[in-house]
């Protein structure tokens, strides 16, 4: 069961990214800042790659049982997620910057609802992504680079739990 839990931990991170991406896409759907078709294709391919990795990791683990499922996740999904999260964060920051400039230039109410929603979702997403990146870094250090010391082991164990609960908390807060 341990392998299944590890994979679901990795997949919940990918699903969290999908939720934040779809929320941002939905917000800008009817505006001038809607996503270009190339941006949509890029992120769709990224989510497809994460799904393929998720499906193939158990097969790899079953063929090479001497390699821990954590090592497989750290060396594939974590490296992929770090790259993907940085790109998604860049998209969030880019959209937030443009929208805030548009609100400021339009001389509308500075406390506009759109501005508040975009800011809230972006801040929650960026904090959640930062926590997940830290968790992935600990996983890579512990399992891929085999750095076994008490600080990395403790950090890795705690960051997984913190990551799971903060992802849930941030997704919940983004809908209020």
């Amino acid at each position: 069961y341990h392998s299944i839990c590890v994979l679901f931990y990795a997949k919940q991170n990918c699903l969290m990214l999908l939720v934040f991406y779809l929320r941002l896409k939905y917000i800008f759907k009817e505006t001038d800042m809607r996503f270009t078709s190339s941006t949509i294709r890029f992120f769709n391919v990224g989510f497809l790659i994460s799904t393929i990795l998720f499906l193939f990791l158990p097969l790899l683990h079953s063929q090479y049982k001497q390699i821990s499922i954590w090592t497989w996740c750290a060396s594939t999904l974590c490296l992929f997620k770090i790259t993907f999260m940085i790109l998604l964060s860049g998209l969030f920051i880019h959209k937030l910057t443009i929208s805030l400039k548009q609100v400021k230039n339009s001389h509308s109410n500075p406390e506009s609802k759109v501005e508040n929603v975009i800011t809230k979702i972006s801040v929650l997403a960026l904090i959640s992504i930062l926590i997940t990146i830290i968790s992935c870094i600990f996983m890579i250090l512990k399992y891929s680079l085999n750095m076994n010391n008490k600080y990395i082991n403790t950090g890795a164990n705690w960051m997984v739990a913190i990551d799971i609960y903060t992802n849930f908390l941030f997704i919940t807060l983004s809908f209020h």
Side-chain angles (χ1 to χ4, degrees):
Y1 296 112
H2 180 70
S3 297
I4 293 170
C5 292
V6 171
L7 291 173
F8 279 119
Y9 165 69
K11 196 59 191 168
Q12 71 88 24
N13 282 322
C14 294
L15 290 173
M16 180 258 327
L17 290 173
L18 179 63
V19 167
F20 286 132
Y21 166 74
L22 291 174
R23 292 278 292 172
L24 194 65
K25 181 181 170 191
Y26 176 75
I27 287 171
F28 291 111
K29 185 178 182 179
E30 302 296 327
T31 70
D32 294 339
M33 292 189 303
R34 65 184 160 276
F35 291 172
T36 64
S37 59
S38 59
T39 301
I40 292 170
R41 272 194 300 274
F42 174 79
F43 282 101
N44 287 346
V45 167
F47 289 118
L48 180 66
I49 289 170
S50 75
T51 302
I52 290 168
L53 282 174
F54 177 72
L55 294 174
F56 280 108
L57 283 180
L59 295 174
L60 288 170
H61 182 61
S62 69
Q63 296 300 312
Y64 303 97
K65 291 187 185 282
Q66 73 277 13
I67 300 173
S68 163
I69 191 68
W70 282 106
T71 303
W72 284 114
C73 282
S75 60
T76 57
L77 279 173
C78 282
L79 286 173
F80 172 79
K81 285 189 306 182
I82 287 173
T83 304
F84 200 64
M85 285 184 278
I86 290 170
L87 293 171
L88 191 57
S89 297
L91 178 66
F92 283 171
I93 292 168
H94 174 71
K95 293 294 183 184
L96 178 61
T97 303
I98 290 172
S99 66
L100 292 177
K101 283 180 184 176
Q102 285 180 349
V103 168
K104 187 176 180 180
N105 291 338
S106 70
H107 304 294
S108 65
N109 179 3
E111 293 297 319
S112 111
K113 186 176 181 178
V114 172
E115 179 183 5
N116 290 338
V117 169
I118 294 168
T119 303
K120 179 178 76 170
I121 289 173
S122 296
V123 169
L124 289 172
L126 292 174
I127 292 171
S128 183
I129 286 170
L130 179 65
I131 291 170
T132 301
I133 287 173
I134 293 169
S135 175
C136 286
I137 289 170
F138 272 109
M139 292 296 135
I140 290 168
L141 290 174
K142 182 175 179 179
Y143 295 105
S144 292
L145 301 178
N146 293 321
M147 293 182 153
N148 281 327
N149 70 45
K150 69 178 186 175
Y151 300 110
I152 290 176
N153 290 338
T154 303
N157 293 336
W158 275 99
M159 285 310 298
V160 168
I162 291 168
D163 186 30
I164 291 170
Y165 289 112
T166 56
N167 287 344
F168 173 76
L169 177 67
F170 291 152
I171 287 172
T172 303
L173 289 174
S174 75
F175 287 104
H176 290 292

